[in-house]
Amino acid sequence: MTAPSTYGLSTQARNLQWLLTDLVEEVPGVNSVAVVSSDGLLLLSSEPAAVRDDSGQATGTGRPKGPRGASADLATIVSGLGSLTTGAAALMDGGGVKQTMVAMEHGSVFVMAISDGSLLGVHAAPDCDMSVVAYHMALFVGRAGHVLNPEVRSELRQSMEKTP
């Protein structure tokens, strides 16, 4: 995984980046992760895991598209799913949306609400253990929710704008 530089970031922002890196590297089947603010801006992201051939050799990364590659794509999807499910929940008087999962033939996308209105999105492999991914997402949300205050969100947005 290639993570944005943590140089010059506050302790809280560095800890959030570390938690995100840990989620990608330690949970089997997780390809990429994005944290999106309540207004749809990308706050934190990982780059997609390296695509490996049958021998296990890295052959590059997943199909990059958009201004920041797969991270921007995932952030857009997370923001859209969050908006769609929030609207659906309101129409059905269902209360707040806690988690959304989309299972596809070639992967899964999970979206989980963070206490400040931000969203955590994970793109995972089709053979991932969904309960393990959801559990680790809940751990991230529990640890990140109280740290993701307006100052840290602003700092993270600025650092993402500086990331090439």
Side-chain angles (χ1 to χ4, degrees):
M1 183 189 90
T2 304
S5 170
T6 58
Y7 179 77
L9 293 179
S10 67
T11 301
Q12 295 91 348
R14 284 193 314 269
N15 286 342
L16 287 171
Q17 185 64 51
W18 178 84
L19 286 171
L20 181 125
T21 301
D22 190 55
L23 179 63
V24 174
E25 292 179 353
E26 299 300 321
V27 181
V30 170
N31 294 328
S32 59
V33 180
V35 175
V36 181
S37 67
S38 58
D39 54 355
L41 296 174
L42 183 62
L43 298 178
L44 283 171
S45 71
S46 67
E47 292 300 318
V51 175
R52 301 195 180 276
D53 63 19
D54 293 336
S55 69
Q57 294 293 325
T59 60
T61 58
R63 52 180 189 85
K65 291 184 180 176
R68 293 197 198 281
S71 297
D73 290 347
L74 182 59
T76 301
I77 292 163
V78 167
S79 182
L81 284 172
S83 179
L84 179 65
T85 56
T86 298
L91 286 172
M92 296 182 215
D93 294 325
V97 177
K98 296 180 182 180
Q99 182 177 346
T100 303
M101 198 269 302
V102 178
M104 301 168 288
E105 186 176 343
H106 299 290
S108 298
V109 175
F110 302 82
V111 179
M112 191 173 284
I114 300 176
S115 63
D116 71 333
S118 298
L119 299 167
L120 170 64
V122 172
H123 173 236
D127 59 347
C128 74
D129 185 332
M130 292 180 190
S131 62
V132 171
V133 173
Y135 171 76
H136 284 277
M137 287 178 71
L139 288 177
F140 180 95
V141 166
R143 293 173 181 156
H146 69 283
V147 176
L148 209 47
N149 59 44
E151 294 81 20
V152 173
R153 283 194 305 269
S154 176
E155 181 181 2
L156 291 170
R157 278 188 215 149
Q158 290 173 359
S159 74
M160 289 304 296
E161 289 171 2
K162 293 176 187 173
T163 303

